[in-house]
C-alpha cells in the first residue's frame, strides 16, 4: 500500500534560461549570448511533493498559490510562489551559471488556525518543508508538531538566516538540514534527531551522543539544484531503519544531480 504523505511548505518556481556565449558587447564589457531555451520546474516543497509522487507515495500538498503537481492532491492557500531565475551560459566545453534573479513571493492571508483546520490528518507522514517564503510560520510549525497525530513528522528547512531558530522543530521524528545549517544551529538542536546532508560526502545522523555516517554516492554531477529536496522525498518514501533510509536518500539525490534543474531523476 502506498505511503500517505501530507506535505506543507513553500513552492519555488525554478526558471532555467539556457544561452550560448557569442562574444562581448562593443559598447561595454558585457557578455553577449543567444537564447536557447527557457524552462520552468517546480522547486522547494513542490519539488519534494513531485518526487514523493514519483516514488510511489499518495501525496497531499498544501502551499501558497495555485500550483499543479501531477499526481498530487494540491490544497492552494492565498499568496504566490517564490520564483528563482537562473541564467546558464554555454561557452566552449563548459556550462556556467551566470546570473540568478530572485522574485519575491506574496504571503498567505489565512491565519495559522485556519490552515490547521484545512488539513486532513488521515496520512501516515507529515512533511514540513520551510524555505521562509510565507507558507509556514514558526507558530504554525509549532502547532503542526504539537497538535497533530501523524505516525511520523519529517521536517526540513533551507534558510540562510542565522537568526532562524531551528528548535521550533523539536518534536519532529527527524529534521533534515545541510551541514552549514547544522553548524549554525547546533546549540538549538539538543534532543532532535538530525539527518545532516553533505552532498557527495553522504549524510550524518546525529542525536545528542548518537551518531553515525553514511557514505555518499560518487557521480559526475552537472547541477545540484534541488538535490536536498530529492533527499527528503526519498528518505520519507523509504522503508527500513534510519540507516537504510539515508542510504536510499543518498542514492536518489545523487541521481538528481545528473540533470539540469529540478527534474525528476
Amino acid at each position: 500500500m502506498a505511503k500517505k504523505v501530507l506535505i506543507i511548505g513553500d513552492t519555488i518556481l525554478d526558471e532555467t534560461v539556457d544561452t550560448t556565449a557569442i562574444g562581448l558587447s562593443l559598447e561595454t564589457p558585457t557578455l553577449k549570448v543567444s537564447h536557447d531555451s527557457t524552462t520552468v520546474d517546480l522547486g522547494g516543497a513542490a519539488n519534494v511533493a513531485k518526487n514523493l509522487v514519483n516514488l510511489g507515495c499518495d501525496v497531499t500538498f498544501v502551499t501558497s498559490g495555485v500550483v499543479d503537481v501531477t499526481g498530487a492532491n494540491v490544497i492552494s492557500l492565498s499568496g504566490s510562489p517564490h520564483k528563482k531565475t537562473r541564467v546558464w551560459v554555454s561557452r566552449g566545453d563548459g556550462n556556467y551559471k551566470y546570473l540568478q534573479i530572485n522574485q519575491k513571493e506574496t504571503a498567505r492571508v489565512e491565519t495559522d488556525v485556519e490552515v490547521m483546520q484545512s488539513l486532513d490528518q488521515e496520512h501516515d507522514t507529515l512533511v514540513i518543508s520551510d524555505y521562509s517564503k510565507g507558507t509556514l510560520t514558526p507558530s504554525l510549525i509549532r502547532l503542526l508538531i504539537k497538535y497533530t497525530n501523524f505516525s511520523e513528522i519529517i521536517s526540513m528547512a533551507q534558510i540562510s538566516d542565522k537568526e532562524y531558530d531551528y528548535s521550533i522543530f523539536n518534536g519532529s521524528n527527524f529534521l533534515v538540514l545541510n551541514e552549514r545549517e547544522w553548524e549554525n544551529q547546533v546549540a538549538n538542536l539538543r534532543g532532535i534527531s538530525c539527518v545532516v546532508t553533505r552532498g557527495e560526502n553522504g549524510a550524518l545522523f546525529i542525536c545528542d551522543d548518537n551518531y553515525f555516517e553514511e557514505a555518499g554516492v560518487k557521480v559526475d554531477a552537472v547541477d545540484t539544484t534541488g538535490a536536498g529536496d530529492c533527499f527528503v522525498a526519498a528518505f520519507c518514501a523509504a522503508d527500513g531503519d534510519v540507516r537504510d533510509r539515508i542510504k536510499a536518500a543518498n542514492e536518489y539525490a545523487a541521481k538528481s544531480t545528473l540533470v539540469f534543474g529540478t527534474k525528476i531523476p
Side-chain angles (χ1 to χ4, degrees), residues 6-256:
L6 174 65
I7 173 171
I8 179 168
D10 301 302
T11 292
I12 297 175
L13 299 179
D14 282 312
E15 182 178 58
T16 301
V17 180
D18 290 310
T19 68
T20 300
I22 57 175
L24 293 175
S25 170
L26 295 177
E27 295 83 8
T28 61
T30 305
L31 183 66
K32 292 196 300 183
V33 300
S34 60
H35 177 260
D36 298 326
S37 65
T38 298
T39 58
V40 179
D41 295 308
L42 295 174
N47 191 31
V48 181
K50 74 179 183 183
N51 279 282
L52 283 167
V53 172
N54 183 57
L55 290 162
C57 296
D58 180 352
V59 179
T60 297
F61 177 40
V62 182
T63 192
S64 295
V66 179
V67 180
D68 181 18
V69 180
T70 302
N73 172 35
V74 179
I75 298 175
S76 296
L77 305 175
S78 59
S80 65
H82 183 80
K83 184 178 180 181
K84 291 183 179 180
T85 300
R86 297 175 177 90
V87 179
W88 290 82
V89 177
S90 175
R91 184 179 181 185
D93 59 355
N95 202 40
Y96 307 93
K97 188 169 81 168
Y98 183 70
L99 178 69
Q100 178 171 310
I101 304 169
N102 292 352
Q103 179 179 309
K104 188 173 177 59
E105 70 290 338
T106 56
R108 62 175 170 84
V109 298
E110 295 89 349
T111 66
D112 292 342
V113 172
E114 288 172 334
V115 175
M116 288 284 290
Q117 291 172 340
S118 72
L119 303 181
D120 176 7
Q121 297 188 36
E122 297 300 317
H123 292 76
D124 304 308
T125 301
L126 170 65
V127 176
I128 300 171
S129 182
D130 190 16
Y131 291 78
S132 194
K133 303 302 181 186
T135 301
L136 291 158
T137 62
S139 60
L140 177 56
I141 290 170
R142 292 188 180 96
L143 287 171
L144 288 166
I145 292 173
K146 186 174 182 179
Y147 293 109
T148 55
N149 298 306
F150 297 92
S151 300
E152 179 177 67
I153 298 177
I154 299 173
S155 298
M156 68 172 293
Q158 293 193 7
I159 299 168
S160 59
D161 184 1
K162 292 184 179 181
E163 300 302 316
Y164 188 94
D165 185 359
Y166 278 52
S167 68
I168 62 173
F169 296 109
N170 200 351
S172 303
N173 295 89
F174 299 101
L175 170 62
V176 182
L177 67 172
N178 65 38
E179 196 167 22
R180 183 183 63 183
E181 291 159 349
W182 183 81
E183 290 171 350
N184 289 339
Q185 293 284 332
V186 63
N188 298 321
L189 299 175
R190 190 72 182 168
I192 303 177
S193 295
C194 295
V195 179
V196 182
T197 60
R198 304 170 65 214
E200 65 177 9
N201 294 317
L204 309 175
F205 175 79
I206 305 172
C207 183
D208 297 337
D209 296 328
N210 188 5
Y211 166 94
F212 68 80
E213 181 175 354
E214 185 64 33
V217 178
K218 303 297 183 181
V219 297
D220 293 325
V222 297
D223 186 7
T224 60
T225 303
D229 303 328
C230 290
F231 183 98
V232 171
F235 182 84
C236 177
D239 295 319
D241 62 21
V242 64
R243 187 182 289 273
D244 291 335
R245 296 174 74 178
I246 290 175
K247 183 177 180 180
N250 277 339
E251 293 173 351
Y252 190 75
K255 290 179 182 178
S256 76

